[in-house]
Amino acid sequence: MNPFGNYKTVISARATDKEILKKAQDGGIVSAAYIYGLESKLLDGVIVANTEDGFNAAPKVATTPEEVLNAAGTKYTVSPNVSVLKDAVREYALEKVGIVGTPCQVQAIRKLIKYPMGFRHTDSKIALVMGIFCMENFSYEGMKAIVEEYAGIRMDDVLKTDIGKGKFWVYSKYGDVKSVKLKDTHMYEQKSCHICTDYTAELADISTGSVGSPDGWSTIFVRTEKGEAYLNKMVEAGVLETKNIEDVQPGLDLVQKLSLQKKEKNEKEIAHRMELGLPVPY
Amino acid sequence: MVRIAHIHMSGCTGCLISLTDTYEKLLDILGSVELVYALTLADEKTEITETDDKILIERKIPEGIDIALVEGSVCLDDPHAMDDILTTRKNSKIVVALGACAASGGVTRFARGGQMSQPSHASFVPIGDVIKVDLALPGCPPSTESIVKLLTAALEGDMEYLEPFAEIAKYGKDACGCDVIKEVINKSLCMGCGTCAAACQVNAIDMVEGKPNINSEFCIKCGICSAQCPRVRFPEIIRKLE
């Protein structure tokens, strides 16, 4: 089983900008790429999962670095980023759009590029597809249950959430740090995530996630020529600090382990659903 | 030379506009095809019959069409339309239902007659209800890019790419926003990407708490939401990057 899909290179990196690192989930790769794109005119707009009231997430078309920074950080709830793609092209008149998504959302983007039936003059405006590692996602109400009922922090008070070391971590604006065992969160997972066998956003131009790199750093897979050219420009501009993936801990083995875990578990679920006569994507 | 025809049934010409909107890409295609019939795009092929009391000028759908792009639904109450669609099938190797009306009835599903200038015209059905359709491309109208991609694939005989369109031709006649509810949400497949909402050309889909909410009052039954959904169908061909 191929754990990562096709890729050209894999590195460990983090943003050099302190402002980005302060707000970002890990290495700030998506924020750095977006802000660099907007400032260098490689992109004229980007789609972000914006932080809304009550720590909800909703897609937003961002055209300034401030808007990108404001949306930094992972929300672990659904932000239907593709839903605003056509608005970005039509209403914002963007010519070079950057879009980020979970692996399933990246699949949706690749499908609409290949089969742009209802996407007139849209696919050619997608300048960069970024993907983030993802094991599964929670519905907003599900996440609210985890945060409020298990961790005991009000959604309005959440500063940051994180998944690591087998736990779901909640950081409040007032300095509290609470954690919930991941096994207590499983029941709130979207069941639709359980038929997804893509952990590392295998169809993105550039995929990134914290797993495999040290705290505060991210692992980056560069998959396409477009992604390669973009990342090289970022490194040349000094936006990213990079390391060889072989030189960091815990390294690629952990990414491989988690990726294969997701694939094996969810392929079983796919087989199970087929046995029941339920449809699966084909 | 591949012979292509654009056949106009009960449609608004939006699909034809989308076809012509391909600009230079259309020129590439036109280089390898012969447009044998396309009202407004090419000269009309007419047949003139002269009798003692009148001269009859008729448009004739030509024979030997390789790919017929049919726009619009069929009006069952209109003998002329019925004649045209049957002739199109008889004279064509591949019939493509171009756009929502031809593929699934689209907005003409809501027609119920009693309107000028043809008050007797009340029944409109997707062309697949009357003839066998090989490929159906939903959309109101389908994007210019998708028309070019479909035509290019048809010219190259790329059956792998065309397969989803063959499937929509087979099963997509009753398309509706509720397909997303039935086939995706009800089946625990929706992960909330928002593609359906972005694809919907009449803004009938809102994303509420990350999931599509279908406003059936607005839905025109074009089927683009489920056709575009990555969780209904995800052809292997999409996995090939670059």
Side-chain angles (χ1 to χ4, degrees), chain A residues 25 76 136 138 146 161-171 177-186:
Chain A
Q25 191 74 11
Y76 297 108
E136 66 266 308
F138 304 105
I146 297 166
T161 51
D162 198 9
I163 291 179
K165 303 176 179 72
K167 286 177 178 168
F168 187 102
W169 298 85
V170 188
Y171 300 80
V177 183
K178 297 278 177 63
S179 68
V180 180
K181 283 184 193 133
L182 270 189
K183 77 173 173 41
D184 291 333
T185 68
H186 290 324

Side-chain angles (χ1 to χ4, degrees), chain B residues 89 92-97 132-136 165-167 169:
Chain B
R89 178 68 272 184
S92 316
K93 284 202 190 98
I94 298 172
V95 173
V96 182
K132 180 180 168 289
V133 176
D134 303 295
L135 304 169
F165 301 110
E167 188 184 83

Side-chain angles (χ1 to χ4, degrees), chain B residues 80-95:
Chain B
H80 196 84
M82 291 295 286
D83 192 39
D84 272 3
I85 195 67
L86 294 173
T87 310
T88 300
R89 178 68 272 184
K90 190 158 64 90
N91 292 1
S92 316
K93 284 202 190 98
I94 298 172
V95 173

Side-chain angles (χ1 to χ4, degrees), chain A residues 78 80 82-83 86 107-108 110-111 113-118 120-121 140 190-192 195 224-225 273 282, chain B residues 21 143-145 149 161 167 188 190 192-195 198 209 211 227-229 231-234 241-242:
Chain A
V78 189
V82 187
S83 69
K86 214 155 68 176
Q107 289 176 359
R110 288 297 176 203
K111 178 168 176 182
I113 291 174
K114 198 85 186 172
Y115 291 96
M117 296 171 262
R120 181 172 177 270
H121 298 347
Y140 178 71
Q190 292 200 105
K191 300 298 173 280
S192 53
I195 50 113
T224 63
E225 270 168 34
R273 288 198 194 189
Y282 56 101
Chain B
D21 201 11
S143 74
T144 51
E145 293 90 344
K149 285 190 171 177
Y161 182 78
E167 188 184 83
S188 184
C190 179
C193 63
T195 306
E209 297 288 357
K211 295 288 164 70
Q228 205 83 70
C229 176
R231 284 293 172 97
V232 174
R233 180 177 246 285
F234 196 77
L241 279 180
E242 287 179 347

Side-chain angles (χ1 to χ4, degrees), chain A residues 225-245:
Chain A
E225 270 168 34
K226 204 191 236 181
E228 191 170 41
Y230 197 97
L231 194 89
N232 287 345
K233 281 182 194 160
M234 281 174 75
V235 173
E236 273 164 37
V239 175
L240 287 185
E241 185 184 343
T242 65
K243 284 184 181 175
N244 285 332
I245 195 75

